[in-house]
Amino acid sequence: MTIDWRKEVEARREDLMKDLFDILSIPSVRDDSLATEDAPVGPGPKDALLRFLEIGDRDGFTTKNVDNIAGHIEFGSGDETLGVFGHVDVVPVGPGWDTDPFTPVEKDGRIYARGASDDKGPTMAAYYALKIIKELGLPVSKRTRVIIGTDEESEWKCMDHYLEVEETPDFGFSPDANFPIINGEKGNTTILLEVPGKNEGTLCLVSFKSGMRANMVPESAEAVVEVSGDVNEFEKEFEEYLTSVPVTGSIEVEGSNATIHVYGKAAHGAMPEKGINAATYLANFLSFYDFSGPAKDFVTIVADFIHEDTLGEKFGVAHTDETMGELTMNAGVFSYDMNRDDNTITLNFRYPKGLTEEDIYARITEKVSGTSAKVIQEAGGKGPHYVSPEDPLVKTLLDVYEEQTGFEGHEQVIGGGTFGRLLERGVAYGAMFPDSIDTMHQKNEFISVDDLINATVIYADAIYRLIK
Ligand code: ZN
Ligand code: ZN
């Protein structure tokens, strides 16, 4: 039997849009200040979850609310379960919107609203896919659960809890990234190098500040240095330094204190090579001077092991896997204050299989062993995740993508993390197409109506092939 999935989706276009607008109208940003036992990440995400489950009830599915933090809409029965993992929480709105982020607007073939593409639109597309399979009365041999999370954008508390109390699906996908597929995600670990604020040299490092988040390349850096010698000479040397490096900067001198600013280029921490790390250039300049003690350690660790090296070669952690690519290192946050003892350099690593976070920790510890730096591994790291392209799940999803779009399907590995990694046989699949404009987490977020419809067609075909 051939099913015209596109015709079936088109027949439900209006309903799909109406339900999506309904969900998009609920401001579902996590808000810990309003969190209660009854609404663990605040009322917004909970309301969006309950509304989604109501839609499932209305359409005759079995639904389950798992303690107001996650839930599922279930269809079919069998020995195996397919899990489809979406989320209804959204990132904060931010400034600069042309329309109200929680009053969805359809304009020029696009639906504008916070969550339109991440991830309410794609989750609704996956839900409608299942609804079509149900309404057509198609025979299935497996159970499917559309599992809805409310804390994807922060800590994944939703899925931690869900998988604790509910059965773990045997295989599945998350409609929360890109087509053709994301079948590999690098491991992610963050390491802090902590040094006390102490100076013993001719120059005194008063402060050093740069970066906001471990997963962003710092765009600017600032240091205050007390120069006991010729401060004007120091100023001249900084200006000379600027002519030889790909950053800009400025220096102001007041008495014997020099305040230095350096400006590089921001980038996502998963692709640090695309940015220019302002902090490491600043430390590189300072490393030519006579600092001593922990202040010297702070500056020289950056200059010797981090500067112009996003692959971790100088730390001895560089590693490339044939299918998952190379390890990347982003030095995202720097803070030094001569009056504090908890000064830190924050390093975020994305690493392929063939390496563990313990390896990274051990090698860095060894490299800095002669210094005052203490190496601290942050809790909550995640190992590399990879599902072989030979796995029938990956094969089926790529086949459907190719047949429905006419484009070539191929495997993809990313540095970020999606719900795909929750299952050993889990991947991310859509809903952005290679030519879609990515507005996730940005102002004026949208999903194009064509993408929404095309994704629903693909999900329906794919889910049916996986469970029939
Ligand atoms: Zn998402
Ligand atoms: Zn997101």
Side-chain angles (χ1 to χ4, degrees):
M1 177 173 52
T2 43
I3 301 148
D4 187 343
W5 296 109
R6 187 163 295 278
K7 190 184 111 212
E8 298 299 335
V9 174
E10 286 296 347
R12 294 163 181 84
R13 177 190 275 260
E14 299 298 312
D15 293 342
L16 166 60
M17 296 283 271
K18 204 172 145 291
D19 284 336
L20 176 57
F21 271 49
D22 194 3
I23 295 288
L24 288 172
S25 304
I26 302 171
S28 51
V29 180
R30 172 169 163 170
D31 187 345
D32 289 339
S33 72
L34 297 174
T36 60
E37 208 172 302
D38 185 52
V41 289
K46 174 189 164 184
D47 288 351
L49 169 67
L50 296 188
R51 183 68 197 115
F52 215 121
L53 296 178
E54 264 170 42
I55 292 170
D57 290 334
R58 175 199 70 194
D59 294 340
F61 286 97
T62 305
T63 66
K64 182 161 185 185
N65 173 1
V66 180
D67 302 314
N68 290 337
I69 195 161
H72 67 234
I73 297 172
E74 182 181 299
F75 173 68
S77 60
D79 294 337
E80 277 192 291
T81 299
L82 164 69
V84 179
F85 291 85
H87 67 92
V88 290
D89 58 308
V90 294
V91 291
V93 165
W97 284 73
D98 295 332
T99 57
D100 182 281
F102 297 111
T103 307
V105 175
E106 190 184 343
K107 206 176 89 190
D108 306 326
R110 295 168 169 179
I111 300 161
Y112 287 90
R114 172 58 84 225
S117 67
D118 181 13
D119 187 42
K120 291 172 173 175
T123 305
M124 190 59 79
Y127 170 72
Y128 263 76
L130 193 62
K131 178 171 150 80
I132 289 168
I133 293 166
K134 176 174 170 291
E135 288 174 358
L136 292 178
L138 297 168
V140 299
S141 67
K142 300 186 182 85
R143 187 165 65 175
T144 303
R145 284 179 171 177
V146 173
I147 301 166
I148 300 157
T150 62
D151 190 34
E152 196 278 340
E153 299 293 2
S154 306
E155 290 182 278
W156 292 23
K157 274 187 188 174
C158 50
M159 290 311 165
D160 286 350
H161 184 66
Y162 182 88
L163 295 173
E164 232 172 70
V165 300
E166 288 294 318
E167 155 200 326
T168 301
D170 298 281
F171 62 114
F173 68 86
S174 175
D176 191 21
N178 306 74
F179 289 118
I181 200 165
I182 309 288
N183 60 313
E185 297 178 14
K186 289 181 186 175
N188 189 330
T189 187
T190 297
I191 282 180
L192 306 177
L193 299 172
E194 190 179 281
V195 301
K198 208 163 158 228
N199 279 278
E200 289 154 8
T202 330
L203 275 81
C204 172
L205 184 61
V206 178
S207 66
F208 189 115
K209 290 215 163 349
S210 178
M212 284 144 55
R213 288 166 58 178
N215 66 0
M216 278 174 74
V217 177
E219 187 163 26
S220 64
E222 183 199 273
V224 178
V225 176
E226 198 188 316
V227 184
S228 60
D230 185 347
V231 70
N232 293 320
E233 183 63 21
F234 182 79
E235 185 179 3
K236 232 174 68 199
E237 282 163 358
F238 177 68
E239 274 152 8
E240 232 169 74
Y241 174 72
L242 285 180
T243 63
S244 66
V245 287
V247 291
T248 57
S250 64
I251 179 164
E252 297 112 55
V253 171
E254 218 189 295
S256 60
N257 271 11
T259 302
I260 311 173
H261 286 101
V262 171
Y263 304 98
K265 190 175 155 232
H268 194 286
M271 288 157 282
E273 71 283 358
K274 295 203 168 147
I276 299 172
N277 193 318
T280 73
Y281 280 93
L282 177 50
N284 178 48
F285 169 70
L286 295 175
S287 71
F288 301 123
Y289 292 89
D290 181 28
F291 292 94
S292 186
K296 182 184 172 68
D297 292 339
F298 186 89
V299 166
T300 53
I301 285 171
V302 180
D304 293 351
F305 296 114
I306 303 171
H307 182 52
E308 290 185 318
D309 181 8
T310 56
L311 299 175
E313 280 171 343
K314 296 170 191 163
F315 270 133
V317 296
H319 177 70
T320 304
D321 175 80
E322 205 183 307
T323 46
M324 295 194 76
E326 54 204 9
L327 171 145
T328 60
M329 173 182 81
N330 179 52
V333 190
F334 299 76
S335 82
Y336 182 95
D337 180 326
M338 62 184 286
N339 298 313
R340 294 180 66 107
D341 279 331
D342 56 351
N343 302 305
T344 50
I345 300 162
T346 304
L347 303 170
N348 179 244
F349 294 87
R350 312 287 170 123
Y351 60 99
K353 56 188 161 73
L355 204 66
T356 64
E357 63 176 4
E358 289 80 14
D359 294 334
I360 297 171
Y361 176 84
R363 291 180 201 175
I364 290 176
T365 304
E366 192 196 313
K367 288 286 178 192
V368 303
S369 62
T371 73
S372 61
K374 198 164 97 190
V375 185
I376 302 162
Q377 188 140 37
E378 267 194 0
K382 294 183 169 98
H385 174 74
Y386 186 72
V387 185
S388 162
E390 300 307 312
D391 189 298
L393 167 71
V394 177
K395 278 195 157 141
T396 304
L397 295 179
L398 287 178
D399 284 350
V400 172
Y401 174 78
E402 290 192 341
E403 288 168 35
Q404 290 291 351
T405 64
F407 299 137
E408 199 215 321
H410 55 83
E411 65 170 326
Q412 283 188 108
V413 173
I414 59 167
T418 77
F419 278 164
R421 66 158 59 241
L422 290 169
L423 306 179
E424 209 172 300
R425 290 181 65 210
V427 297
Y429 187 55
M432 270 199 296
F433 291 88
D435 63 351
S436 303
I437 301 167
D438 181 359
T439 55
M440 289 188 182
H441 297 203
Q442 298 167 39
K443 65 181 180 182
N444 299 322
E445 178 181 348
F446 71 83
I447 187 168
S448 86
V449 178
D450 285 347
D451 282 3
L452 181 70
I453 296 297
N454 291 335
T456 310
V457 172
I458 290 173
Y459 291 148
D461 191 353
I463 292 173
Y464 184 56
R465 281 195 220 185
L466 292 171
I467 63 171
K468 72 179 179 189

